[in-house]
Each structure stands twice: as C-alpha cells, then as structure tokens.
Amino acid sequence: MNQSYPTTYAAKRKARRFAVQGIYEWQMSGNPVHEIEARTRADNAMHKVDIGYYHELLTQIVSQRDALDAVLMPALDRELSALDGVELATLRLGTYELQHHLEIPYRVVLDEAIELAKHFGGADSHKYINGVLDRVAQKLRQDEKQQA
C-alpha cells in the first residue's frame, strides 16, 4: 500500500520539529540516524507530517554536518562546542534550508528556526538563532536579502 503524506506548510513545520529533535538526539547520543527515524515514526502520529521532508532534513543535515558547520562557523561568536545542543540542531537545520531550499524565502527559514528555538530552546535562544541565521543568509542569500 502506497501511503500519501501531506506536503502543506503545516506538514513541513511538523517535519522540522521532528527533524530538530532527531538531530539533537544524534548530536547527544550518536545513535544511527536510521534508528532515530524509525523510532520517531513508530512512536508518533506522523499522518500530518511531511515524511519525505523530515527524512531529507534528518539524513542530509547529519551527513552534511561538516559542510554546514563550515558555513555556520563564521557567523558564530563562539565555538560550536560552546553552543547549546538545541541551538546547534536548529542552526544546522536553518543553514541547510538556506543553502539547499532556495524555494523557501530566507525570512521564512529564519521565522521557522526562531519558532523552533522558542519551542525547544532556552529563554532567549531565539534571538541568538535569528542573529546567526541572518548572517548566514547574508552570505548564502545575498541577492534575495538585498531585494527585500
């Protein structure tokens, strides 16, 4: 049976939430991504989640972490190791979307990352996420930012 999953804005937002949790788990535990994904899909109602996008975010962000971190590091005011785990997971997700999903306006990427930080992060982490990803967007989406 071929199951169809939604690809709406809300379904993508849910995919981001599960992805940032999975990235965080991978960062903290080193558990294999396929195990994290399988457990997440088994333990949660995923019928309103864009499963394809969730899978892409989780697997690609983990596999491209070194390249993403290289883009991210010049925008940081501290070492990666000094970042909170939720902040790092959220910044990696935002950097990935800025770099690989040009169809998503940079402001939407920033807004989504801010919402993730508000939901999962510390009290003011959303402000830090906004500032860092704005600097990343300046590098990756310079033309788009100038037109805004």
Side-chain angles (χ1 to χ4, degrees), residues 86 90 112-122 125-127 129:
V86 172
T90 304
E112 289 295 310
I114 289 166
E115 289 305 313
L116 288 167
K118 285 179 179 177
H119 186 75
F120 295 115
S125 67
H126 66 282
K127 296 175 186 175
I129 298 292

Side-chain angles (χ1 to χ4, degrees), residues 9 13 105-118 130 133:
Y9 180 79
R13 175 172 272 185
Y106 85 92
R107 286 185 173 160
V108 172
V109 173
L110 267 63
D111 287 346
E112 289 295 310
I114 289 166
E115 289 305 313
L116 288 167
K118 285 179 179 177
N130 182 46
L133 288 180

Side-chain angles (χ1 to χ4, degrees), residues 94-115:
T95 301
Y96 177 83
E97 286 191 316
L98 286 169
Q99 192 168 42
H100 296 285
H101 282 280
L102 302 179
E103 76 281 4
I104 304 172
Y106 85 92
R107 286 185 173 160
V108 172
V109 173
L110 267 63
D111 287 346
E112 289 295 310
I114 289 166
E115 289 305 313

